[in-house]
Amino acid sequence: MGTLDAVLDSTSKVAPFRILHQTPDSQVYWSIACGTSREEITEHWDWLEHNVMKTLCVFDSNEDVTSFVQGKIRGLIAEEGKGSFIKEDDPEKFREAIMKFEKCFGLAEQEKLVTYYSCSYWRGRMPCQGWLYLSTNFLSFYSFLLGAEIKLVISWDEISKLEKTSNVILTESIHVCSRGEDHYFSMFMHINETFLLMEQLANYAVRRLFDKETFESDLVLHDPLQITKRGLENRAHSEQFSAFFRLPKEETLKEVHECFLWVPFCHYNTLGKMCISENYICFASQDGNLCSIIIPLREVIAVEISDPANKGVSISTKGKRAFRFTELRDFEHLVAKLKIRSGATSSPQHTASTEAATTSHSDNPVDYYEGRSMADQKGSSNAVSTEALMTVFHPQDADNLDCKMLKEKMKEQSWNILFVECGRGVSMFRTKKTRDLVLRGIPETLRGELWLLFSGAVNDMATNPGYYTELVEKSLGTCTLATDEIERDLRRSLPEHPAFQSDTGISALRRVLTAYAYRNPKIGYCQAMNILTSVLLLYAKEEEAFWLLVAVCERMLPDYFNRRIIGALVDQAVFEELIRDHLPQLTDHTTDMTFFSSVSLSWFLTLFISVLPIESAVSVVDCFFYDGIKAILQLGLAVLDYNIEKLLTCKDDAEAVTVLNRFFDSVTNKDSPLPPAVQQASNLNDKKSFHPKVDITDLIRESNEKYGDIRYEDVERMRCRNRLYVIQTLETTTKQNVLRVMSQDVKFNPNDLEELYELFKKEHFLSCYWNANSPVLRHHDPSLPYLDQYRINCQQFRVLYHLLSPWAHCANRDSLALWTFRLLDENSDCLINFKEFACALDVMCNGSFTDKLKLLFKLHIPPAFTEVESLSPSKGDELPKEELIHFSQLNVSSPVDSQEADALKRSPEKAGKEKIDIQAYLKQWQDELLKKEENIKDLPRMNQFQFIQFSKTLYNLFHGDPEEELLYRAIATVTSLLLKMEEVGRRLQSPMSSAKSPVSAAESSTDGQNTQEEDGEPPQPECRKGQRSGRDDHEWSFAFEQILASLLNEPALVRFFEKPLDIKAKIENAKTSQLKARRRV
């Protein structure tokens, strides 16, 4: 019997054996145990007899018996699943889902199920009802409907598009694109929750594997086994909280309370949410006129109940301000916790006050910053500048009040009025009026202070006193690739400004950039950082400029300044999406949207500083520090909109670039008080320009009026969506470059070569899925040449060898895999790249008779050959992982010249993060160009033990072949002939020699036993490993030419090695078996 639910439930295949518990006079049956076989259910019954039934006699009523049994079984389920899943709303159902997930997909035991949903998967126009399982590394779907089974497994790192869509048939669905295939899932109960979780898992997996430096310091995301559904939800809230209030990334959102905040200058209570983290209390209103505050706990001096009737809490700060919150639930408990937290933050690192006094007699608003900087840098005042460069090179003349200076003073007065109303410093009220003043331009004297405040850098600086001075001292005199690039770009940073035509400005710029490269070596230095830092130094003190740079690089523009500028590419993709939405006429006119990406890259990397005159660019930076990347996107749209008519008439990209450049040259700041010698636009006034002047303030105001409806949340959502596309596009570029290089070196067709690359890359990633400290993950470096970005170790190579090699059916296949890996690992770093892997496989599959035989010969001589069987005789031919890695790392000497070996070890890639030797790269490339094809006469001779192993390998290769018997006879004939030839040769050279006859050795090789010396002892390890420099009097050996000539005389052997091999079948099998193979090995 089955209901409609049971038919539609793809996992509701009822177990054939069950044990039920029924209370007498009740129609309800409780399922106690189930099993797929009689033996399994009998085992459960025996356990119940011994552990449960003996206890039931102590109960007086049937209801008590039922309650006891229910509690006992639920307790066992909870205890068994304690370590495998987090506490969900229904732990029993989640445990059942884990069992179904493991049974259906057969993934590794370490693969952790995060959550699961019931949904429909669309195959063509037919929906298939089933279950969607979201685990740490895979998106999996399973359906068993009316006898038809559907199973789908997609790894998160293969997804290039993840979005919510809707059409006539599917009102709302989730679209997943992986490796060019589209998958649609619909009929979710909570589609927004599902999509958010999928988006998080996909982005975390991609960033962990492709952009690992971002997450290496994150203990949870660095270890996928620690990821849980609740943890992901909490993390999403914390990231949104930290980004919105510009707090340090380490802050975690602990509590959220809906309440009212008293706004004194408006005389009303505004509804909003209080957000509390470890070190901050923040509030944001819910109404349209945004009102927000940030209260660092280091600033709090008192927390008390102010109005019990209205559940009010008052928080007083060092800036002589009090904030009153009302209608707080559980306000008494909250006050107690805040008192403890604010008291705990009175440690030395939190005592520094960042709140400027708001009284009218506070003449200098930045006394605190300067005082602390001087205190922190005692003894180092000569090394670190304590003044903004603009105050040094362009001090304002109080006596010369022209019209521009009068407007500047009016701006300052407007801000002073705001400070009186809203407060000053980190805990000031931020309202719509604050934004309006920022859009009009921040006064020159307040710019550094407010940049520091709006960016959140003030918090970093307050909690890390003396940190910058220590960095400067540590980084002084260091010599790295980053410092070389910094020195090269110092004179290119605002060269027209007098501050950077002097040693004062250049030295300050050098110290800030070098200190940051020392702080964050994973970013180091990237071009455009020098331009940005130059502008920061004009308006902020040196230490403040450093923390502003930290805020920009690590929080406000994440991943912008890494090796592949992924963050900038992501925001350019967001920009393209916004152009499609807001300027459709441009989209219709332009066939290639990448033009806008290429032309706008410098806009994003330098915040328009590189394209606008300095006096106009600083106004853009004002808006950026207040609104973040949203301000840059809005301004970019406004620039295109302003020039849209001219852009629509352009015939090519060059003409469009000219139009935009002329526009930027015409942008001015008519209210700038900077002297004409500094203003870049003033130099153009004398030139005849047909382009009308555009004031930057008007342009910024227009960008907010037209595109101010772009929300921060929408930008973050688009960033998240486009990150997958950008990273997969970069990976596709890497693959295309590798395949283009490799197509000249192998005989595989392009499709097969691409499939092999995907299998190789997949094997690289599979080792990272369940191992938080995978050494292979550490070896992935996007800065390396394309061929070396993905490399595998011996264990991974063995898996691929078993799946793809035509010689994998041998009894000693593990030994062959090991020797092949050692042969390919020329630089002895225990890693091989795709080129080395593909070339070896190409010889096995497509090589000539001579090529294949030469490969086999080289596998049985040093440095590839090493004896492995004798170390684990009880395990047969299978090598445990530990022994395989051990043998792959053995350093076996070979006849290679020691100088050449040293040169290999001095490969430029070995330098790692150290300074790269360009001359070494050039020398290596020159050697590769001059490298000649290997001559078979140059191959060393094969000694007796190696020849016996070589013969055994040939015997194993022939096993299962249709001509097996004929091949065995042929190899026996060749072996005997070679041994007799060697014996004759030795007798002619030394007729009195009493060496053992090689014919007996041949007999021993046929029996598969190890050869022994004349005195009856087994060969010494030096002999076995090929470590003897010359031929011993008691040993015989063969040259490759002898073996090749003998084997060519046997037609059966020639046919065997020259028969065509179908790699396609092995590739298809490997694609379906790779996960299982990883689990077996």
Side-chain angles (χ1 to χ4, degrees):
M1 295 177 63
T3 63
L4 180 61
D5 290 339
V7 174
L8 293 178
D9 187 353
S10 61
T11 58
S12 61
K13 295 184 283 187
V14 180
F17 299 96
R18 291 187 296 168
I19 298 175
L20 305 177
H21 174 83
Q22 181 194 21
T23 305
D25 303 326
S26 172
Q27 300 298 318
V28 178
Y29 290 84
W30 295 95
S31 179
I32 303 300
C34 61
T36 57
S37 63
R38 183 178 294 276
E39 292 76 13
E40 184 180 359
I41 205 67
T42 303
E43 184 180 347
H44 292 322
W45 180 263
D46 293 340
W47 187 92
L48 289 170
E49 280 187 327
H50 289 90
N51 296 278
V52 178
M53 293 183 183
K54 292 179 180 180
T55 314
L56 300 182
C57 60
V58 303
F59 298 102
D60 296 330
S61 65
N62 294 328
E63 288 76 13
D64 292 340
V65 171
T66 301
S67 298
F68 171 76
V69 172
Q70 288 179 356
K72 182 73 173 178
I73 299 303
R74 286 174 177 168
L76 290 171
I77 292 173
E79 185 66 27
E80 181 181 345
K82 185 181 294 183
S84 61
F85 60 90
I86 62 171
K87 185 177 179 181
E88 297 288 330
D89 296 334
D90 193 341
E92 292 183 19
K93 287 187 176 180
F94 193 72
R95 177 180 176 276
E96 183 181 352
I98 290 176
M99 295 174 62
K100 290 178 180 178
F101 172 71
E102 293 174 348
K103 183 178 179 181
C104 291
F105 302 103
L107 300 174
E109 295 179 359
Q110 301 95 321
E111 182 65 17
K112 183 173 183 179
L113 179 65
V114 176
T115 189
Y116 63 101
Y117 299 96
S118 174
C119 69
S120 292
Y121 171 61
W122 289 78
R123 299 188 68 182
R125 297 188 176 183
M126 288 296 297
C128 303
Q129 183 69 23
W131 289 94
L132 181 70
Y133 297 90
L134 306 182
S135 59
T136 51
N137 298 294
F138 297 96
L139 178 155
S140 310
F141 178 83
Y142 184 82
S143 172
F144 187 84
L145 184 63
L146 302 177
E149 183 180 56
I150 298 175
K151 191 181 297 186
L152 179 69
V153 179
I154 302 173
S155 59
W156 294 116
D157 56 80
E158 293 179 345
I159 294 178
S160 58
K161 182 181 290 187
L162 182 63
E163 59 183 358
K164 284 193 296 185
T165 60
S166 60
N167 53 40
V168 177
I169 300 176
L170 303 176
T171 54
E172 206 168 17
S173 63
I174 296 177
H175 172 212
V176 178
C177 181
S178 170
R179 301 188 67 179
E181 297 182 4
D182 294 313
H183 308 275
Y184 292 89
F185 303 90
S186 66
M187 299 184 185
F188 290 96
M189 186 72 70
H190 306 287
I191 190 168
N192 291 329
E193 172 194 319
T194 308
F195 179 75
L196 178 62
L197 206 58
M198 292 171 68
E199 199 171 48
Q200 282 183 287
L201 286 169
N203 273 284
Y204 289 155
V206 166
R207 294 178 73 174
R208 188 175 68 245
L209 297 175
F210 294 107
D211 198 20
K212 65 183 185 304
E213 60 265 18
T214 307
F215 282 176
E216 278 184 347
S217 59
D218 193 307
L219 298 179
V220 175
L221 296 178
H222 186 50
D223 182 4
L225 301 181
Q226 300 298 320
I227 295 178
T228 62
K229 177 185 177 183
R230 186 165 295 130
L232 289 174
E233 292 172 348
N234 293 339
R235 189 177 190 86
H237 295 149
S238 294
E239 289 177 348
Q240 186 177 5
F241 162 73
S242 299
F244 182 83
F245 291 105
R246 306 281 168 74
L247 300 179
K249 291 190 296 184
E250 297 77 20
E251 290 299 311
T252 303
L253 182 62
K254 298 294 185 183
E255 303 176 47
V256 178
H257 302 276
E258 190 169 277
C259 63
F260 288 89
L261 171 66
W262 174 250
V263 185
F265 50 88
C266 294
H267 303 288
Y268 73 90
N269 285 309
T270 180
L271 177 64
K273 290 184 178 180
M274 174 194 284
C275 304
I276 303 174
S277 65
E278 295 95 333
N279 300 302
Y280 297 89
I281 303 170
C282 303
F283 177 88
S285 65
Q286 294 179 345
D287 57 12
N289 296 323
L290 183 65
C291 170
S292 64
I293 59 169
I294 301 170
I295 308 174
L297 289 179
R298 65 178 181 269
E299 296 291 318
V300 175
I301 57 175
V303 181
E304 54 190 2
I305 298 174
S306 61
D307 185 3
N310 293 319
K311 303 177 183 179
V313 175
S314 176
I315 300 176
S316 301
T317 65
K318 296 174 184 177
K320 300 180 181 180
R321 297 187 64 86
F323 302 91
R324 191 177 70 187
F325 301 90
T326 55
E327 299 302 327
L328 276 162
R329 288 191 298 178
D330 199 12
F331 66 102
E332 294 177 344
H333 184 56
L334 177 62
V335 168
K337 286 192 295 185
L338 290 179
K339 282 183 177 180
I340 295 173
R341 288 188 182 178
S342 59
T345 58
S346 60
S347 59
Q349 64 180 16
H350 292 287
T351 55
S353 172
T354 61
E355 193 76 66
T358 58
T359 56
S360 59
H361 61 270
S362 179
D363 296 329
N364 191 350
V366 291
D367 281 341
Y368 159 68
Y369 299 112
E370 184 167 348
R372 191 194 56 200
S373 296
M374 293 297 291
D376 292 342
Q377 296 160 10
K378 188 179 295 182
S380 303
S381 58
N382 293 331
V384 178
S385 173
T386 57
E387 293 291 339
L389 294 179
M390 194 64 76
T391 62
V392 176
F393 287 88
H394 305 292
Q396 290 190 5
D397 187 358
D399 298 330
N400 182 20
L401 293 178
D402 56 13
C403 61
K404 291 186 177 182
M405 285 304 300
L406 286 174
K407 288 184 178 179
E408 187 73 5
K409 291 297 180 182
M410 291 174 62
K411 281 186 182 180
E412 291 181 23
Q413 187 62 27
S414 299
W415 278 96
N416 288 330
I417 294 172
L418 179 74
F419 291 150
V420 171
E421 292 181 352
C422 302
R424 187 167 189 169
V426 69
S427 298
M428 71 178 290
F429 283 87
R430 306 180 193 196
T431 63
K432 183 177 182 297
K433 187 175 180 180
T434 312
R435 176 191 295 275
D436 292 339
L437 289 179
V438 170
L439 297 181
R440 287 167 52 189
I442 298 175
E444 297 281 314
T445 56
L446 298 177
R447 188 161 270 141
E449 175 192 352
L450 294 178
W451 282 359
L452 206 67
L453 175 65
F454 295 145
S455 67
V458 61
N459 295 312
D460 296 323
M461 187 171 169
T463 53
N464 295 280
Y467 177 78
Y468 174 67
T469 307
E470 293 176 7
L471 275 186
V472 171
E473 293 174 353
K474 291 179 181 178
S475 62
L476 189 65
T478 57
C479 183
T480 64
L481 181 62
T483 57
D484 287 349
E485 293 176 346
I486 290 170
E487 289 297 327
R488 186 180 65 240
D489 288 346
L490 284 177
R491 303 287 174 179
R492 305 175 185 172
S493 309
L494 299 185
E496 69 285 343
H497 198 286
F500 298 101
Q501 296 170 0
S502 69
D503 290 339
T504 303
I506 293 295
S507 298
L509 180 60
R510 177 187 292 111
R511 285 192 294 269
V512 173
L513 293 175
T514 305
Y516 185 79
Y518 188 87
R519 164 190 165 88
N520 193 343
K522 292 166 186 173
I523 291 180
Y525 170 77
C526 176
Q527 282 188 335
M529 288 172 66
N530 61 318
I531 299 175
L532 176 61
T533 308
S534 301
V535 174
L536 299 179
L537 283 168
L538 289 177
Y539 294 98
K541 302 168 190 175
E542 189 173 319
E543 183 181 5
E544 295 171 352
F546 170 79
W547 287 113
L548 284 169
L549 183 64
V550 170
V552 171
C553 294
E554 299 178 13
R555 288 201 306 273
M556 301 186 72
L557 297 179
D559 303 331
Y560 258 61
F561 301 101
N562 58 18
R563 295 182 181 90
R564 299 194 288 180
I565 57 171
I566 290 177
L569 297 177
V570 169
D571 282 346
Q572 284 182 296
V574 173
F575 187 50
E576 288 183 17
E577 196 170 332
L578 291 173
I579 292 174
R580 294 188 187 95
D581 294 339
H582 295 276
L583 300 173
Q585 59 270 48
L586 264 185
T587 307
D588 297 338
H589 175 74
T590 307
T591 56
D592 186 8
M593 290 292 290
T594 57
F595 163 74
F596 298 108
S597 296
S598 59
V599 77
S600 65
L601 180 60
S602 63
W603 304 357
F604 290 94
L605 283 174
T606 66
L607 308 180
F608 283 92
I609 296 171
S610 63
V611 293
L612 286 175
I614 183 64
E615 65 275 10
S616 300
V618 291
S619 296
V620 179
V621 179
D622 294 342
C623 299
F624 168 75
F625 279 126
Y626 192 85
D627 277 333
I629 193 62
K630 174 176 173 285
I632 305 301
L633 293 168
Q634 289 176 180
L635 185 60
L637 290 173
V639 168
L640 295 179
D641 187 29
Y642 195 95
N643 295 277
I644 192 167
E645 294 182 1
K646 294 180 180 179
L647 290 173
L648 291 176
T649 59
C650 291
K651 299 178 182 178
D652 54 31
D653 292 352
E655 190 175 349
V657 170
T658 302
V659 168
L660 292 175
N661 287 340
R662 287 178 178 171
F663 169 77
F664 287 130
D665 290 341
S666 69
V667 176
T668 63
N669 187 348
K670 63 178 184 296
D671 296 333
S672 175
L674 294 180
V678 175
Q679 295 191 31
Q680 296 175 357
S682 64
N683 299 326
L684 301 174
N685 292 337
D686 299 333
K687 300 178 182 179
K688 190 174 181 180
S689 175
F690 298 100
H691 202 294
K693 299 298 179 184
V694 180
D695 186 68
I696 187 63
T697 305
D698 296 335
L699 188 62
I700 291 175
R701 184 176 60 251
E702 184 178 342
S703 71
N704 274 271
E705 291 173 355
K706 287 189 174 181
Y707 309 109
D709 58 341
I710 298 174
R711 300 188 308 155
Y712 167 79
E713 294 81 2
D714 297 333
V715 172
E716 287 302 310
R717 196 173 298 115
M718 287 188 285
R719 273 180 162 182
C720 203
R721 180 169 63 248
N722 285 286
R723 175 175 290 276
L724 296 174
Y725 169 76
V726 167
I727 290 182
Q728 293 295 349
T729 301
L730 292 174
E731 290 302 307
T732 301
T733 302
T734 298
K735 178 176 71 175
Q736 291 171 348
N737 284 312
V738 170
L739 297 181
R740 185 177 66 251
V741 172
M742 287 297 302
S743 61
Q744 307 297 323
D745 299 330
V746 297
K747 298 178 183 177
F748 292 120
N749 66 55
N751 291 334
D752 291 343
L753 189 61
E754 182 176 357
E755 294 288 356
L756 287 174
Y757 178 86
E758 293 292 347
L759 288 170
F760 184 89
K761 177 180 167 183
K762 186 72 174 177
E763 191 60 36
H764 169 94
F765 282 149
L766 283 174
S767 66
C768 311
Y769 284 164
W770 305 292
N771 185 0
N773 298 312
S774 170
V776 181
L777 185 58
R778 292 197 297 270
H779 287 303
H780 173 48
D781 187 352
S783 66
L784 290 175
Y786 290 120
L787 287 171
D788 290 328
Q789 287 189 19
Y790 295 106
R791 293 176 288 176
I792 60 174
N793 61 19
C794 191
Q795 164 70 4
Q796 298 165 299
F797 176 78
R798 174 170 66 169
V799 174
L800 292 178
Y801 186 91
H802 288 183
L803 292 172
L804 297 169
S805 173
W807 301 343
H809 64 277
C810 288
N812 64 334
R813 62 178 185 171
D814 276 3
S815 298
L816 280 178
L818 169 64
W819 297 334
T820 306
F821 181 85
R822 289 171 59 84
L823 179 66
L824 299 177
D825 183 21
E826 294 182 359
N827 58 1
S828 302
D829 63 352
C830 300
L831 295 167
I832 63 170
N833 60 31
F834 178 68
K835 180 178 181 179
E836 294 162 337
F837 167 79
C839 288
L841 190 63
D842 183 58
V843 172
M844 297 179 198
C845 298
N846 303 318
S848 63
F849 174 80
T850 303
D851 293 335
K852 292 178 181 178
L853 194 63
K854 183 168 67 173
L855 176 60
L856 283 171
F857 183 88
K858 292 168 72 173
L859 294 181
H860 292 81
I861 58 174
F865 179 77
T866 181
E867 186 187 0
V868 295
E869 291 83 2
S870 61
L871 293 186
S872 53
S874 62
K875 297 179 182 177
D877 295 307
E878 293 292 331
L879 284 177
K881 178 181 177 179
E882 294 75 13
E883 289 190 11
L884 186 74
I885 298 298
H886 165 73
F887 285 125
S888 70
Q889 295 173 348
L890 283 180
N891 186 17
V892 179
S893 61
S894 66
V896 179
D897 185 13
S898 60
Q899 293 182 357
E900 294 180 4
D902 291 341
L904 285 173
K905 292 179 181 178
R906 290 195 300 268
S907 176
E909 285 88 346
K910 292 292 184 180
K913 299 293 182 183
E914 299 175 3
K915 188 175 180 180
I916 297 177
D917 188 353
I918 304 299
Q919 295 296 328
Y921 266 122
L922 296 175
K923 179 67 167 61
Q924 181 181 350
W925 292 338
Q926 183 181 12
D927 293 342
E928 290 178 357
L929 291 173
L930 297 177
K931 189 182 295 182
K932 297 180 181 179
E933 187 175 353
E934 185 179 35
N935 194 322
I936 59 176
K937 294 182 179 180
D938 298 332
L939 293 173
R941 298 176 68 88
M942 180 181 283
N943 67 29
Q944 66 181 49
F945 180 77
Q946 296 159 3
F947 179 74
I948 291 171
Q949 294 297 323
F950 176 77
S951 301
K952 287 181 180 180
T953 299
L954 290 178
Y955 273 99
N956 291 328
L957 280 176
F958 302 148
H959 181 68
D961 192 89
E963 296 184 342
E964 182 177 358
E965 291 299 327
L966 187 60
L967 290 167
Y968 283 160
R969 289 197 295 270
I971 195 60
T973 302
V974 170
T975 304
S976 300
L977 176 62
L978 285 170
L979 294 172
K980 289 177 181 178
M981 289 170 57
E982 179 64 17
E983 182 179 12
V984 171
R986 286 177 60 82
R987 287 178 178 176
L988 290 174
Q989 292 177 7
S990 53
M992 300 302 295
S993 173
S994 58
K996 175 182 175 182
S997 171
V999 178
S1000 62
E1003 294 172 359
S1004 66
S1005 69
T1006 305
D1007 296 335
Q1009 304 296 326
N1010 289 336
T1011 60
Q1012 296 184 351
E1013 298 286 2
E1014 190 175 15
D1015 57 4
E1017 295 181 359
Q1020 298 301 314
E1022 290 83 6
C1023 172
R1024 291 182 177 181
K1025 296 179 182 179
Q1027 293 178 343
R1028 295 191 177 181
S1029 58
R1031 294 180 59 184
D1032 195 285
D1033 291 339
H1034 300 285
E1035 245 183 31
W1036 38 265
S1037 62
F1038 296 106
F1040 176 70
E1041 303 99 296
Q1042 293 175 281
I1043 298 176
L1044 176 62
S1046 302
L1047 292 176
L1048 281 171
N1049 290 326
E1050 297 295 332
L1053 295 174
V1054 176
R1055 286 197 302 273
F1056 174 82
F1057 282 106
E1058 290 192 343
K1059 65 183 176 183
L1061 298 171
D1062 183 17
I1063 191 66
K1064 290 184 181 294
K1066 286 190 171 291
I1067 290 175
E1068 291 302 319
N1069 176 65
K1071 288 162 65 175
T1072 58
S1073 308
Q1074 195 171 18
L1075 276 175
K1076 297 178 182 178
R1078 286 282 310 181
R1079 199 175 185 189
R1080 286 196 305 268
V1081 174

